[in-house]
Amino acid sequence: MGIFVTEECTGCKLCIRSCPFAAIEIKDNQAVILDNCTLCGSCESVCPVQAIKIEKEEKTKDFSDYKNVWVFGEQREGDLNSVVHELVGQGRRLANKLKENLSVILPGYQNIAQAKELINYGVDKVYLIDKKELAEYNDEYYTYVMAELIKKYNPSIVLMGATTIGRSLGPRVAARIKTGLTADCTGLDIDDKSKILLQTRPAFGGNIMATIVCKNHRPQMATVRPGVMKAAEKRENYEGIISKEDLDLSKVILKTEVIDIVREIEDSINIAEADIIVSGGRGVGSGENFNLIRELADTLGGAVGASRAAVDSGWISHDHQVGQTGTTVAPRIYIACGISGAVQHLVGMKSSDIIIAINKDPGASIFNYATYGLVGDLFKIIPLLIEQLKSGATIKESAASFEK
């Protein structure tokens, strides 16, 4: 990579004024590049006669040694996080496109049962690290385990859930092995021509969807939002391998120690795991009016969700927020009440199997994604829905009876 000045230079000095490092001077009516040039390109872009040229050496990197798709097997107290099955499902599709294998890296303690379970979901190999020190998540231990096995086996793609653990572990591992990381992905695919991982995530507050690629480093790493990928289906008699890995954890210098784990006691249903969610938006009007949303959710045995507008207005706590800055959900049934359908909200719920929208504005964006659209006053429609449901009708039958 280098920079040079051609004979077309007129000595106009525009390049001198544009250089932030004072790395250009004029001699004999010609620009001369000094040794402190950083090749930033400012001079090249302002030259009116295109006399300054920067040549970049394009080195083709050989990534032929990097193969296979890996998923981080996040677990707590011996139970796999539900996002692992979602990543296994998506990882299987990516691996099939690449004609490579799908593996799960599974740190933990006495976790052979988890490894066998993962094989039954279409995993070709489980890298099992069974250590007492790994029973509870610790940044230093888990980063060491992940980085050492990645350097040993050279996977092409590494996926983690964008959970509390994944968001802590992912950047640490990426920095340790000197590769890139795309956070909070909502879509993954393989480019047919280059075979590079296409990592899609919301950007600029969710107003656009950006697709990011990692051309110059391996592995390609991404954290993926829970609830946006279709979970893997169980396969009978799938043949996979469990590889027990023995790592010397005494090499790890601990900066923190897990003394105790305090678990929050929740009275309400976790919206990320709920099969039915009833959400309220700006159209609900007040915190008191959310009692109607709760009544419908209770009737259905579901959870209460909310849009950002409702949360920002103080009508309900942030724990209930669905969307870009809240929780991503994928229930069987999602009922959006008084929600217009802003991009930030749609990102968090569009993977729902059935979407029922109740809004008095027939032009609301939410209707473009709804399975059933009910145009009208939610304060009239919801009581009628509750009445029908209590009389024995299903939610589909109730919604269909109102559909316009």
Side-chain angles (χ1 to χ4, degrees):
M1 187 168 181
I3 184 170
F4 62 93
V5 181
T6 67
E7 294 179 354
E8 283 80 9
C9 177
T10 62
C12 69
K13 299 183 181 180
L14 282 175
C15 54
I16 293 179
R17 290 194 286 270
S18 72
C19 180
F21 304 101
I24 306 174
E25 61 182 31
I26 300 295
K27 287 185 179 180
D28 299 328
N29 211 35
Q30 281 254 320
V32 176
I33 310 298
L34 304 181
D35 291 340
N36 60 326
C37 173
T38 64
L39 302 175
C40 70
S42 295
C43 57
E44 184 183 33
S45 62
V46 302
C47 181
V49 293
Q50 298 181 336
I52 299 177
K53 306 287 186 183
I54 295 178
E55 289 186 341
K56 298 179 181 179
E57 291 181 31
E58 293 292 339
K59 294 183 178 179
T60 302
K61 295 188 177 182
D62 182 13
F63 294 126
S64 59
D65 290 338
Y66 290 83
K67 293 185 183 301
N68 303 322
V69 178
W70 278 21
V71 168
F72 167 59
E74 180 180 333
Q75 54 84 28
R76 295 188 185 186
E77 295 185 324
D79 294 325
L80 289 169
N81 191 307
S82 59
V83 75
V84 176
H85 291 96
E86 296 170 18
L87 294 178
V88 166
Q90 182 62 26
R92 180 75 272 165
R93 288 184 279 275
L94 298 176
N96 288 345
K97 272 197 167 185
L98 293 169
K99 297 181 180 179
E100 295 177 354
N101 291 330
L102 171 65
S103 301
V104 174
I105 180 168
L106 185 63
Y109 180 54
Q110 296 180 343
N111 50 355
I112 185 67
Q114 297 173 357
K116 292 178 179 178
E117 177 190 345
L118 286 166
I119 295 294
N120 292 330
Y121 283 89
V123 175
D124 298 307
K125 180 178 283 190
V126 177
Y127 294 98
L128 180 67
I129 310 93
D130 188 349
K131 297 279 186 178
K132 191 172 183 179
E133 298 92 329
L134 303 176
E136 300 291 351
Y137 175 74
N138 179 287
D139 284 328
E140 283 85 9
Y141 278 143
Y142 273 61
T143 300
Y144 174 78
V145 167
M146 291 289 292
E148 289 301 303
L149 291 182
I150 287 171
K151 287 186 282 188
K152 180 178 179 180
Y153 292 108
N154 294 333
S156 175
I157 295 171
V158 177
L159 306 177
M160 300 182 186
T163 59
T164 303
I165 288 177
R167 287 172 174 170
S168 173
L169 180 62
R172 286 176 165 84
V173 175
R176 185 74 60 90
I177 61 178
K178 295 181 172 60
T179 191
L181 173 71
T182 303
D184 270 357
C185 291
T186 57
L188 298 171
D189 204 352
I190 300 295
D191 182 78
D192 292 332
K193 185 177 180 180
S194 66
K195 303 303 179 184
I196 288 176
L197 179 65
L198 304 176
Q199 304 160 84
T200 302
R201 70 177 306 278
F204 294 102
N207 291 313
I208 65 169
M209 300 300 288
T211 298
I212 299 168
V213 296
C214 182
K215 292 183 178 180
N216 300 317
H217 299 277
R218 291 294 182 274
Q220 302 159 95
M221 286 186 61
T223 60
V224 179
R225 286 194 179 191
V228 299
M229 306 290 182
K230 186 178 180 181
E233 296 181 359
K234 202 165 187 177
R235 305 185 184 192
E236 296 296 333
N237 302 317
Y238 193 86
E239 294 185 5
I241 299 171
I242 298 175
S243 174
K244 295 183 179 181
E245 301 291 328
D246 188 20
L247 295 174
D248 184 5
L249 298 184
S250 65
K251 296 179 180 180
V252 180
I253 300 174
L254 293 181
K255 301 181 184 68
T256 58
E257 180 183 355
V258 179
I259 297 174
D260 192 14
I261 296 175
V262 180
R263 289 165 182 83
E264 182 180 3
I265 299 174
E266 296 181 351
D267 295 328
S268 59
I269 298 173
N270 182 351
I271 61 171
E273 298 177 359
D275 282 340
I276 299 173
I277 298 174
V278 183
S279 281
R282 193 188 305 276
V284 175
S286 70
E288 184 180 351
N289 290 341
F290 255 88
N291 291 330
L292 187 61
I293 304 298
R294 291 188 178 91
E295 185 179 356
L296 178 56
D298 290 343
T299 304
L300 292 166
V304 175
S307 69
R308 178 173 178 173
V311 172
D312 288 348
S313 297
W315 300 339
I316 194 168
S317 69
H318 182 269
D319 295 341
H320 296 269
Q321 185 175 324
V322 175
Q324 163 74 12
T325 52
T327 303
T328 301
V329 298
R332 289 189 299 107
I333 299 174
Y334 187 87
I335 305 177
C337 308
I339 295 174
S340 62
V343 173
Q344 292 91 335
H345 188 78
L346 293 171
V347 165
M349 45 66 72
K350 65 181 181 181
S351 296
S352 307
D353 291 341
I354 296 173
I355 299 172
I356 300 171
I358 304 172
N359 201 299
K360 63 183 179 181
D361 177 10
S365 299
I366 191 72
F367 289 124
N368 295 326
Y369 295 85
T371 311
Y372 298 96
L374 310 181
V375 180
D377 187 343
L378 66 90
F379 298 105
K380 295 179 180 179
I381 292 176
I382 292 179
L384 291 173
L385 280 175
I386 293 172
E387 182 182 341
Q388 287 200 13
L389 290 166
K390 288 182 176 179
S391 68
T394 67
I395 184 62
K396 292 182 182 180
E397 291 169 346
S398 299
S401 69
F402 284 96
E403 187 181 9
K404 294 184 179 181

